[in-house]
Amino acid sequence: VGPATSTAEGGVGIIRLSGPRSEEFLRLSFRPARPLATMETRRLYFGHLLDRKGEVVDEVLAVLMRGPLSYTREDVAEVHCHGGPLPLRRALDIFIELGARLARPGEFTLRAFLNGRIDLAQAEAVIDLIRSRSESGSRVALGQLDGKISRSIHRFRDALLEVLSLVEAYIDFPEEEIEPPHLQALQDGVKGVLREVDGLLLTFDSGRVLREGLSILILGRPNVGKSSLLNALLGEARAIVTEVAGTTRDTIEESLVLGGIPLRLIDTAGIRQTDDPVEAEGVRRARDKVGHADLVLLVLDGSQELGEEDLLALEACRNERVLVVANKADLGPWTPPPPLAPFTAIPVSSHTGEGLDRLRDRIVGMFLPEAGGEAREGALLSDRRHREALLGCREALDRFLEGVSREDSLDLLALELREALHRLGTITGETTPEDVLDRIFSRFCIGK
Ligand code: GDP
């Protein structure tokens, strides 16, 4: 038993039970408004929740969902109470007194997984959906919950199992008159899977961005308009803007959703030239921050000549993904000076909003090349764990192909195929180690 909704105040608060005694516990505590011979499955009944002494605890709606047509595939009962910490606590106590145990975090979803209703990738999608911070992020999670990733993995697995069966038939029955497998057929089968695995791996950049969002660092010397740009992008005044150079003392982090991508904008104090001999240290620190960002917006004051501090900032993000933003375009036209030749530069005005749309489109376009990819049909890889597993699978398949060209023994080749299959199985949960499962389900809240 567990609270299926938040236990804070709300319209309703739902207590969920799962397991073979759910119906019994519900019957013992729920008194329907009209006497019932039997409770129909998946039908909502109005009545009262009673404690052991028969005292009314709440006026509720109750539903019984008999397995296997339930979230966990077990018998599930839900009691919809008035939402509030106390009614929910009392309702929970009733079931615990009857003999139910408080569910562990994610236990209902774990049971759905263990009972085969969803696979591991789908279970992970449940928590992603709950945690998603943007519409596109939730769409990615929904696709995964719907089985998009799982279906790709099953397709790879089926194809590899076919190759493995060719290899194993010969290993297992060498004395029978089975022809040794054609090496070409083995190679073709595996190469086909490799192509598809690579295709799926390529979707990771977009998938990750949609799911986790981007961290964008706004860098530039004091007074070029970094805070103003941040505010303009956010559409409301949150960072402090002043006329005095160097007021963005602390790092300010703000989130927004741009073209479906959740962004974290990090406005840092500019790179300052100081009198101490620690100029290099300043650059090093900036570079450190820069190294953790997905994109750097290098802000310049377009109304002024490029100064030494600008060049310092430029230097700090030389090896990163950078967009140069020439701010204060309202003060006059801007042409990129020679040191900026290798960069994409966009003139904007944080004051008038000029150029901001171009900047936004550019950012979205950099990370979602198939922008507008709302109706994306195929599977989108967004989970690092899945990516690791696919990389492991790919390595095993590469070793398999090398082995075939070396004419390794079939036993060795079978080993690599099994390793590749094992890696695929960790995504869908067939071969996932216990501790990884624990880690995944511990991310859930109680009651999910
Ligand atoms: P930061 O130190 O880089 O964060 O710069 P601020 O955002 O605090 O801005 C410094 C000064 O530049 C302020 O006086 C702003 O009003 C001014 N400023 C910022 N953006 C623009 C712009 O697009 N056009 C003009 N004309 N002034 C701007």
Side-chain angles (χ1 to χ4, degrees):
V1 67
T5 52
S6 150
T7 49
E9 271 180 39
V12 289
I14 301 177
I15 298 289
R16 178 187 274 166
L17 290 144
S18 180
R21 298 178 71 189
S22 299
E23 180 167 0
E24 176 196 338
F25 290 161
L26 185 62
R27 285 183 161 278
L28 285 171
S29 56
F30 174 66
R31 186 178 63 203
R34 262 180 282 148
L36 296 170
T38 155
M39 266 186 114
E40 275 178 58
T41 185
R42 291 186 284 152
R43 191 182 173 111
L44 208 53
Y45 292 98
F46 171 72
H48 291 91
L49 191 66
L50 309 177
D51 68 13
R52 266 244 282 262
K53 286 174 252 142
E55 244 173 70
V56 172
V57 170
D58 199 356
E59 187 184 76
V60 300
L61 291 170
V63 59
L64 179 69
M65 291 163 274
R66 291 198 178 87
L69 294 179
S70 69
Y71 185 69
T72 58
R73 277 207 172 156
E74 302 169 337
D75 286 351
V76 169
E78 282 178 5
V79 180
H80 299 218
C81 306
H82 287 99
L86 196 68
L88 282 185
R89 181 69 247 176
R90 291 186 69 193
L92 265 180
D93 284 345
I94 290 175
F95 293 110
I96 289 170
E97 270 177 37
L98 284 171
R101 170 174 65 70
L102 195 62
R104 286 186 286 269
E107 190 171 357
F108 294 114
T109 309
L110 174 67
R111 289 187 178 199
F113 162 64
L114 292 175
N115 293 327
R117 192 179 72 78
I118 52 175
D119 68 21
L120 188 59
Q122 289 171 304
E124 288 173 297
V126 171
I127 187 72
D128 287 347
L129 190 61
I130 293 174
R131 300 253 165 97
S132 56
R133 296 191 293 132
S134 68
E135 255 179 67
S136 6
S138 60
R139 217 173 292 131
V140 173
L142 263 180
Q144 189 171 319
L145 181 60
D146 188 41
K148 279 187 177 170
I149 288 285
S150 311
R151 280 194 291 277
S152 301
I153 301 301
H154 289 157
R155 212 173 48 246
F156 305 163
R157 188 193 58 188
D158 292 348
L160 289 182
L161 279 174
E162 212 170 294
V163 178
L164 185 63
S165 72
L166 293 176
V167 175
E168 283 185 335
Y170 190 75
I171 296 176
D172 294 344
F173 310 103
E175 68 284 357
E176 318 259 320
E177 304 276 295
I178 298 180
E179 288 277 314
H182 277 295
L183 294 184
Q184 187 67 44
L186 300 183
Q187 279 172 328
D188 289 351
V190 164
K191 279 183 185 161
V193 175
L194 261 180
R195 264 195 303 279
E196 287 207 67
V197 167
D198 280 339
L200 188 54
L201 279 168
L202 278 179
T203 66
F204 180 69
D205 272 345
S206 312
R208 180 189 71 90
V209 164
L210 287 175
R211 181 183 133 142
E212 295 176 7
L214 288 175
S215 105
I216 299 186
L217 189 78
I218 303 182
L219 189 74
R221 67 173 172 78
N223 241 17
V224 289
K226 297 181 297 298
S227 317
S228 309
L229 178 70
L230 179 69
N231 290 339
L233 286 171
L234 286 168
E236 45 193 281
R238 259 186 270 190
I240 318 139
V241 185
T242 61
E243 308 263 347
V244 187
T247 42
T248 317
R249 280 196 198 85
D250 295 311
T251 306
I252 298 177
E253 251 196 82
E254 291 285 0
S255 327
L256 78 156
V257 175
L258 207 81
I261 309 177
L263 303 185
R264 280 184 306 282
L265 287 169
I266 310 155
D267 177 9
T268 65
I271 297 180
R272 215 148 313 159
Q273 242 179 345
T274 49
D275 295 335
D276 9 340
V278 289
E279 190 184 294
E281 172 66 11
V283 177
R284 197 198 58 77
R285 261 194 239 152
R287 190 172 271 151
D288 201 43
K289 274 184 197 162
V290 159
H292 288 99
D294 294 304
L295 173 68
V296 179
L297 296 183
L298 179 66
V299 187
L300 307 171
D301 183 337
S303 68
Q304 294 188 2
E305 298 278 308
L306 218 54
E308 212 171 310
E309 285 178 283
D310 295 318
L311 294 173
L312 224 55
L314 204 59
E315 169 67 20
C317 54
R318 209 179 26 184
N319 300 320
E320 310 296 328
R321 282 221 239 196
V322 180
L323 274 181
V324 173
V325 181
N327 193 30
K328 311 196 186 181
D330 52 296
L331 296 180
W334 179 78
T335 34
L340 293 182
F343 297 94
T344 305
I346 300 175
V348 308
S349 165
S350 308
H351 279 185
T352 65
E354 175 190 341
L356 286 180
D357 280 345
R358 249 189 89 206
L359 179 61
R360 286 196 188 96
D361 291 349
R362 193 74 203 208
I363 294 173
V364 174
M366 280 177 91
F367 291 91
L368 296 183
E370 76 284 16
E374 320 224 326
R376 216 202 130 86
E377 288 303 309
L380 204 56
L381 193 66
S382 67
D383 190 312
R384 287 167 199 278
R385 194 183 75 80
H386 300 170
R387 178 167 177 270
E388 286 300 305
L390 277 180
L391 287 173
C393 168
R394 184 167 76 178
E395 279 168 23
L397 294 181
D398 281 338
R399 288 195 301 269
F400 172 88
L401 288 177
E402 284 164 23
V404 171
S405 24
R406 275 197 308 262
E407 301 195 24
D408 279 355
S409 77
L410 289 176
D411 288 294
L412 280 180
L413 295 180
L415 219 59
E416 298 299 358
L417 284 178
R418 280 196 216 101
E419 170 65 14
L421 282 163
H422 169 80
R423 291 307 189 104
L424 291 180
T426 61
I427 297 177
T428 43
E430 284 101 3
T431 53
T432 315
E434 195 87 21
D435 57 322
V436 177
L437 282 183
D438 287 347
R439 229 179 13 249
I440 290 170
F441 285 97
S442 66
R443 291 166 57 212
F444 283 70
C445 44
I446 288 184
K448 186 65 228 174

